[in-house]
Amino acid sequence: MDQDEKKKLLGIAAAEYIDPMLEIETYIGVGTGSTANFFIDALAQVQHKFAGAVASSDASANRLKGHGIQVVSLTEVSSLAVYVDGADEISNDFSMIKGGGAALTREKIVASASECFVCIADSSKWVKQLGAFPLPIEVISMARSLVALEMVKLGGTPVLRQGTITDNGHQIIDVHDLEISDPASLEAAINQIPGVVTNGLFANRGADVLLMDHNNQVGTFTSGRELPA
Ligand code: 5RP
């Protein structure tokens, strides 16, 4: 099974996993990326069971609407039962690096507003320690050199993502070579740098559930202790 087939399996499994949480007045949060796209496609089959979705990007909003699923703004709903999204890396404590698709800020907002975060990640995303995948940081453009210098002080190698402007109109710096031994502290520290909109560490609000392939089947994990050795 190739990576795309695994992602599709995970998207379908996520729609099945959240099925018991769906009620006619329920709104759900929907992530961004190729794995999330498979989830959106699977969601189309059960769209009669819930009220609508809050999307973490314009791309996901368009895909949801293409399936006839109602998309609402986060300001229009009082709560989200569940958020389903992929990750670029996930570690044993269910901390993640996200933002490979430049949607990290809205992803973090929608995840924070959701009662349960279901991460759908193929097994290539599972790491012992976060940081091999460069950490995305969304920055206000005028602050990008300042933020880059601060990241160098933290031991990182910042690279401006060429040609990318986020849905919020900002730029992305990808930071290589970071030693991420304490993801929650680093997430908080980077957010203190003026000009940072969001960083792609999802540690202070990590995933609650991980759906990951193992031996070409989908496993459901609620703690890192359950993950295969
Ligand atoms: C987008 C994200 C994605 O969840 C992450 O990049 C994983 O993407 P994919 O499912 O395409 O591998 O954080 O900003």
Side-chain angles (χ1 to χ4, degrees):
M1 197 179 276
D2 68 21
Q3 194 182 23
D4 247 25
E5 290 169 325
K6 290 176 182 175
K7 288 180 177 188
K8 184 171 184 179
L9 204 63
L10 289 163
I12 293 167
E16 284 167 6
Y17 182 82
I18 67 160
D19 192 275
M21 303 178 197
L22 301 179
E23 288 177 10
I24 207 70
E25 70 279 8
T26 301
Y27 287 90
I28 65 170
V30 174
T32 297
S34 54
T35 320
N37 279 345
F38 285 120
F39 168 65
I40 294 170
D41 296 345
L43 209 49
Q45 312 304 318
V46 291
Q47 60 178 289
H48 56 284
K49 296 189 179 178
F50 64 101
V54 173
S56 63
S57 63
D58 294 344
S60 290
N62 289 337
R63 198 175 184 98
L64 286 157
K65 287 178 197 164
H67 284 301
I69 298 170
Q70 198 200 357
V71 177
V72 296
S73 150
L74 186 58
T75 55
E76 295 174 65
V77 297
S78 53
S79 68
L80 295 171
V82 63
Y83 179 65
V84 178
D85 199 0
D88 298 302
E89 285 185 343
I90 183 161
S91 64
N92 262 12
D93 63 357
F94 290 3
S95 295
M96 293 161 282
I97 287 182
K98 291 183 47 54
L104 61 164
T105 298
R106 295 190 190 183
E107 290 175 340
K108 201 173 277 197
I109 293 168
V110 183
S112 301
S114 301
E115 285 164 37
C116 176
F117 186 148
V118 178
C119 177
I120 43 177
D122 68 80
S123 45
S124 71
K125 312 287 184 66
W126 180 34
V127 296
K128 281 209 157 44
Q129 183 170 314
L130 302 176
F133 191 93
L135 178 66
I137 305 180
E138 181 165 353
V139 293
I140 292 174
S141 303
M142 71 169 286
R144 71 172 193 236
S145 310
L146 171 75
V147 174
L149 281 173
E150 292 300 318
M151 295 314 299
V152 171
K153 286 184 201 163
L154 289 172
T157 308
V159 177
L160 181 68
R161 198 181 295 181
Q162 296 293 338
T164 297
I165 298 292
T166 69
D167 287 349
N168 312 306
H170 302 128
Q171 291 182 301
I172 299 275
I173 295 173
D174 293 307
V175 187
H176 301 247
D177 307 324
L178 283 172
E179 167 73 32
I180 307 180
S181 53
D182 183 348
S185 299
L186 186 61
E187 179 183 6
I190 295 173
N191 281 343
Q192 291 304 312
I193 302 169
V196 168
V197 179
T198 325
N199 71 81
L201 278 168
F202 283 56
N204 290 292
R205 202 283 180 254
D208 300 301
V209 179
L210 168 63
L211 301 185
M212 190 181 77
D213 60 282
H214 179 58
N215 295 334
N216 290 334
Q217 293 195 318
V218 176
T220 303
F221 306 99
T222 53
S223 136
R225 287 187 300 276
E226 300 166 1
L227 287 164

